[in-house]
Amino acid sequence: MSHTPPAATITLALSKGRIFDEIMPLLAAAGIEVLEDPEKSRKLILPTNRPEVRVVLVRASDVPTYVQYGGADMGVCGKDTLIEHSAEWGGAARSGLYLPLDLQIAKCRVSVAVRTDFDYAQAVKKGSRLKVATKYTAIAREFFASKGVHVDLIKLYGSMELAPLTGMADAIVDLVSTGNTLKANHLMEVERIMDISSHLVVNQAALKLKMAPLRRIIDAFASAIPAAS
Ligand code: PRP
Ligand code: MG
């Protein structure tokens, strides 16, 4: 059976978890209801109540890639993911991505955290070279360069909290939401780098080819964005 969709199909790339949960009300505002629960189903292509709209489930960091290469017409991902993707491609425009909306969902922040017994301020003041473990190398590189702090970046893909605990790094750059993960691992936030929320990402070529249906979805999302808090 072929999974190549008919030309009029609209494919939306989402990741499981907070983004999926928090986009549901915006999808509802656009008249779209996802018919299967990704936490229960093993399916990666989820049907919706609208025969021409389907959802593909991808890793959060793969959302811009799916949209860029046309595997999806549009997607939702965090500003953190977009910055890291853009750094690889020399900007959103170069990668053919159109970013029409900050959806104001899945809010969190990117911060620097260290062990509670590590004197970060003193290390910075002394001009020490810091070992920083992170998945967000572009954000971390730019941030420490702007502060004039020399860093050796260690690229990780998850569980960054372990790096300072095992002595592999002095600090981490990671997402903080409730702060519970830091607390549970005896780490503390020492700098807030930026606030994060999720954005709508659209393939520019798809926008031209499927202008009317994509515009309808973009406009419905725009009118249903939660009020800034
Ligand atoms: C994220 C982030 C932190 C945690 C922050 O990890 O990397 O570890 O959530 O949330 P909190 O402040 O509410 O505790 P996540 O579990 O999403 O996955 P990861 O393995 O990709 O780091
Ligand atoms: Mg984590």
Side-chain angles (χ1 to χ4, degrees), residues 172-204:
I172 61 171
V173 167
D174 194 9
L175 299 180
V176 180
S177 176
T178 60
N180 290 341
T181 308
L182 291 181
K183 209 179 290 166
N185 291 292
H186 310 288
L187 300 174
M188 60 182 178
E189 193 176 5
V190 286
E191 304 222 49
R192 272 179 177 232
I193 300 180
M194 67 176 71
D195 288 331
I196 298 294
S197 55
S198 286
H199 290 246
L200 184 63
V201 192
V202 183
N203 177 289
Q204 284 177 350

Side-chain angles (χ1 to χ4, degrees), residues 48-212:
T48 73
N49 62 325
R50 298 242 305 258
E52 80 285 13
V53 181
R54 62 183 194 159
V55 166
V56 291
L57 290 178
V58 305
R59 287 287 291 265
S61 52
D62 289 336
V63 166
T65 307
Y66 271 83
V67 176
Q68 173 173 347
Y69 288 103
D73 299 301
M74 55 194 348
V76 177
C77 66
K79 186 177 160 193
D80 50 319
T81 304
L82 283 171
I83 293 174
E84 295 297 325
H85 183 83
S86 287
E88 267 173 57
W89 286 91
R94 287 271 302 279
S95 59
L97 296 176
Y98 168 56
L99 303 170
L101 293 174
D102 178 349
L103 299 168
Q104 301 286 341
I105 59 165
K107 289 186 175 182
C108 57
R109 55 195 185 266
V110 180
S111 293
V112 182
V114 298
R115 279 163 61 142
T116 48
D117 59 4
F118 182 79
D119 193 341
Y120 175 78
Q122 177 67 11
V124 167
K125 205 169 131 200
K126 274 199 333 212
S128 313
R129 213 177 164 87
L130 288 180
K131 274 186 282 180
V132 179
T134 187
K135 173 155 77 175
Y136 305 103
T137 47
I139 294 173
R141 186 174 292 116
E142 157 72 23
F143 174 72
F144 287 109
S146 74
K147 277 177 72 80
V149 172
H150 293 288
V151 291
D152 292 318
L153 295 177
I154 301 170
K155 169 87 185 189
L156 291 177
Y157 292 89
S159 302
M160 263 80 83
E161 294 84 3
L162 274 174
L165 301 181
T166 55
M168 195 166 81
D170 304 306
I172 61 171
V173 167
D174 194 9
L175 299 180
V176 180
S177 176
T178 60
N180 290 341
T181 308
L182 291 181
K183 209 179 290 166
N185 291 292
H186 310 288
L187 300 174
M188 60 182 178
E189 193 176 5
V190 286
E191 304 222 49
R192 272 179 177 232
I193 300 180
M194 67 176 71
D195 288 331
I196 298 294
S197 55
S198 286
H199 290 246
L200 184 63
V201 192
V202 183
N203 177 289
Q204 284 177 350
L207 188 62
K208 289 197 191 105
L209 289 167
K210 307 174 189 177
M211 175 66 109

